[in-house]
Amino acid sequence: MMIGSNLFGLGLCALLLPSLAVTESTSTLPTAAATSTAVAAVQLDDLASHAYNQTVANLTAGSNSKRGGCTLETLKVRRDWSTFSKAERKEYINSVLCLQSLPARTPASLAAGAKTRYDDFVATHINQTLYIHYTGTFLAWHRYFTWQFEQALRDECGFTGDFPYWNWPATANSLEDSAVFDGSDTSMSGNGEYVSNESEIILYLGDTPPVDLPRGTGGGCVTSGPFLNYTVNMGPAALSLPGGTTQSSANPFDYNPRCLKRDLTTAIIEQYANYTAVVDLILANNDIWDFEMAMQGVPGSGSIGVHGGGHYAMGGDPGRDVYVSPGDPAFWHHHGMIDRVWWIWQSLDPAHRLEAISGTGTFLNEPPSANTTLDTVIDIGYANGDPIAMRQLMSTTGGDFCYIYM
Ligand SMILES: [Cu+2]
C-alpha cells in the first residue's frame, strides 16, 4: 500500500445572532462535568454560550481587525442540524450531491478512483491520514479541511445556508431517530440494511490492548435518503470489519465503486459522546496535548474519545475506515462538532489556548518527526484552497475564517 509515501507531493505533509448582549461571566461556568445527563446538558449549553458571547464581544471590540477582517456583518453561522428547517436541510444536501456530481481535479495518475470534486476531499484525507491524526495538526487540519469543504459547496454549488454540525450527545438516545440519520429525505441517509450474525468490532492500535465496540443495528448498504445512490469510489484502506479483521485494497486510491454502508450504533455515542463525556473532555483537560489525546482516545485507555465515537457510531463503510472516512457524507457534520468542541475549549482561556499546539507531524510520532508549530504549513492538495500556516487556522474568526457556532 502506498499510503506512507506522499503521493501528491505535498511538502508537509443571513446573520442570525439572537442577541449581541454579553451576559455570561466566566465565574458562572461549570468547572467539572456533572454525572447527571440533564445537568451536563445545561453545562454544555452554558459553555457554548460563553464561547459565543466571547466571540461576539471580540468582534464588537474590533480586536480582530488586525487579522482577516472578520466582522459581525460577515460572520457565518454553524448550527445543530436538528435546528435546520427541512428546506435548509435540503439546500445543504443538494449542494453536497452537486459536489458529488462535479468532475475531480485530482489527476487520475495520482488517484484513479477520484471521480468527483467530493472525491478530491476523500483522496486528500486518504493520502494524509498518517500525518493528520494523533499529530500536532489534527485539530487545525480538520478545521481547515471542513472549512474548505464548506467553501467548495458555496463557490461551486451555490450553497448559501448555515453550515451544520451533529450534536452527538443530543442523539445519544437513538441515532436512528435523529435528524442526521433518520433515513428521511432531509437526513444524511440513515442506517444500513440489517445484517444478521455480525460480531463486534475490535480496534487495534499499536501494542495497546484492543478496544471492543458493539455492532450496530444495520451493517449493509443504506436503504433510503439522499445518498441511496451515492457511490464510495475509493478504499478501503484500513476498514475495521466485524470480528476484528481489517480490510485494505492494494491501492486505496484505485476506483472501487460500492454502496455507502452504515451500522448505526447508538451505544457508542451513549458511551463516548454523551453530555457528561463531552463536558468532561472540555473541562478536565487544561493542556492542548491532553485535550487532543482525550478527544481521539488515549491509546491503551480503552476510550476512543468523542472523535472515534462519532466515526464508529456511523459504522459501516467507510465510517469505520480512518483513511476513507470523509467518504461518508455525515463526516462533515461530525467534524463540525469536533471543531465546535475545540472552539469552546479555546474560549475558556484564550490567552493560553488560542494558539496552543502540541504534537509532531506523524501519527503518535511514528516515525519520529519535528514538533508542529504555528509555522507548520498545511496543504490539502487538490481538495481546495492554498497551503496555509497553522497560525492562520487557530481562531474561527482569524485568518480567512469568520464563523461562529450556535
Ligand atoms: Cu481525519
Side-chain angles (χ1 to χ4, degrees):
M1 195 155 66
M2 298 288 289
I3 287 290
S5 61
N6 226 331
L7 291 188
F8 293 0
L10 302 179
L12 291 165
C13 303
L15 205 56
L16 285 171
L17 305 179
S19 160
L20 300 186
V22 178
T23 53
E24 206 76 36
S25 80
T26 310
S27 59
T28 66
L29 290 173
T31 54
T35 50
S36 152
T37 297
V39 176
V42 174
Q43 290 182 322
L44 185 56
D45 277 350
D46 288 347
L47 292 164
S49 295
H50 168 76
Y52 178 93
N53 289 332
Q54 183 183 89
T55 302
V56 170
N58 285 343
L59 291 176
T60 305
S63 66
N64 204 45
S65 54
K66 66 179 189 315
R67 296 194 198 133
C70 179
T71 67
L72 289 176
E73 288 69 38
T74 56
L75 194 61
K76 290 267 190 299
V77 170
R78 292 188 175 187
R79 279 160 52 215
D80 182 339
W81 182 250
S82 72
T83 71
F84 279 48
S85 70
K86 284 193 157 63
E88 288 170 334
R89 288 178 200 162
K90 280 192 170 159
E91 196 213 345
Y92 176 79
I93 289 163
N94 285 335
S95 68
V96 174
L97 290 169
C98 159
L99 211 61
Q100 292 172 346
S101 72
L102 297 176
R105 293 178 184 167
T106 309
S109 57
L110 293 179
K115 300 295 187 188
T116 72
R117 280 291 289 129
Y118 190 92
D119 291 339
D120 290 333
F121 288 83
V122 182
T124 287
H125 192 272
I126 295 173
N127 191 42
Q128 298 188 31
T129 280
L130 297 176
Y131 314 105
I132 58 172
H133 303 105
Y134 289 107
T135 59
T137 55
F138 168 68
L139 289 162
W141 191 96
H142 287 82
R143 170 173 283 175
Y144 188 54
F145 190 59
T146 302
W147 185 81
Q148 284 293 359
F149 179 77
E150 176 187 348
Q151 304 319 301
L153 297 182
R154 296 188 188 285
D155 298 342
E156 300 171 50
C157 289
F159 179 64
T160 60
D162 297 342
F163 196 77
Y165 63 86
W166 165 21
N167 189 15
W168 324 295
T171 65
N173 291 327
S174 172
L175 289 182
E176 293 84 346
D177 295 323
S178 70
V180 182
F181 295 114
D182 68 11
S184 67
D185 61 358
T186 55
S187 71
M188 300 307 290
S189 279
N191 215 348
E193 189 171 10
Y194 180 70
V195 175
S196 59
N197 298 320
E198 264 193 357
S199 42
E200 63 186 355
I201 303 297
I202 307 169
L203 302 181
Y204 299 93
L205 186 54
D207 299 332
T208 61
V211 178
D212 289 7
L213 300 174
R215 66 153 298 174
T217 53
C221 300
V222 298
T223 59
S224 64
F227 300 95
L228 181 62
N229 297 316
Y230 161 69
T231 58
V232 180
N233 288 333
M234 284 170 284
L239 178 66
S240 293
L241 296 175
T245 57
T246 301
Q247 192 179 20
S248 322
S249 51
N251 181 350
F253 298 105
D254 279 352
Y255 186 46
N256 179 25
R258 59 200 188 280
C259 72
L260 171 66
K261 289 183 179 175
R262 291 247 179 82
D263 192 14
L264 295 181
T265 315
T266 299
I268 293 179
I269 293 299
E270 208 178 357
Q271 179 169 0
Y272 297 106
N274 62 62
Y275 278 112
T276 298
V278 174
V279 173
D280 187 65
L281 169 66
I282 293 168
L283 294 181
N285 298 287
N286 292 320
D287 180 89
I288 183 63
W289 173 255
D290 295 336
F291 175 72
E292 69 195 20
M293 290 301 284
M295 179 178 252
Q296 294 167 96
V298 176
S301 69
S303 171
I304 58 173
V306 296
H307 176 250
H311 281 299
Y312 288 99
M314 295 179 211
D317 174 20
R320 293 182 183 131
D321 190 322
V322 182
Y323 291 81
V324 195
S325 54
D328 187 312
F331 173 94
W332 315 98
H333 283 65
H334 176 44
H335 269 280
M337 184 66 176
I338 290 286
D339 188 62
R340 177 176 181 247
V341 169
W342 181 29
W343 168 77
I344 293 172
W345 183 85
Q346 288 180 304
S347 80
L348 293 176
D349 185 4
H352 296 106
R353 295 183 180 182
L354 197 57
E355 298 195 327
I357 297 173
S358 184
T360 71
T362 43
F363 194 104
L364 292 171
N365 199 32
E366 275 300 327
S369 60
N371 284 333
T372 303
T373 70
L374 290 170
D375 294 320
T376 299
V377 173
I378 301 285
D379 184 345
I380 61 171
Y382 290 98
N384 213 17
D386 297 321
I388 190 167
M390 285 283 290
R391 75 174 69 254
Q392 301 291 317
L393 306 173
M394 304 307 288
S395 165
T396 65
T397 54
D400 291 338
F401 297 150
C402 190
Y403 64 87
I404 194 168
Y405 287 96
M406 296 190 63

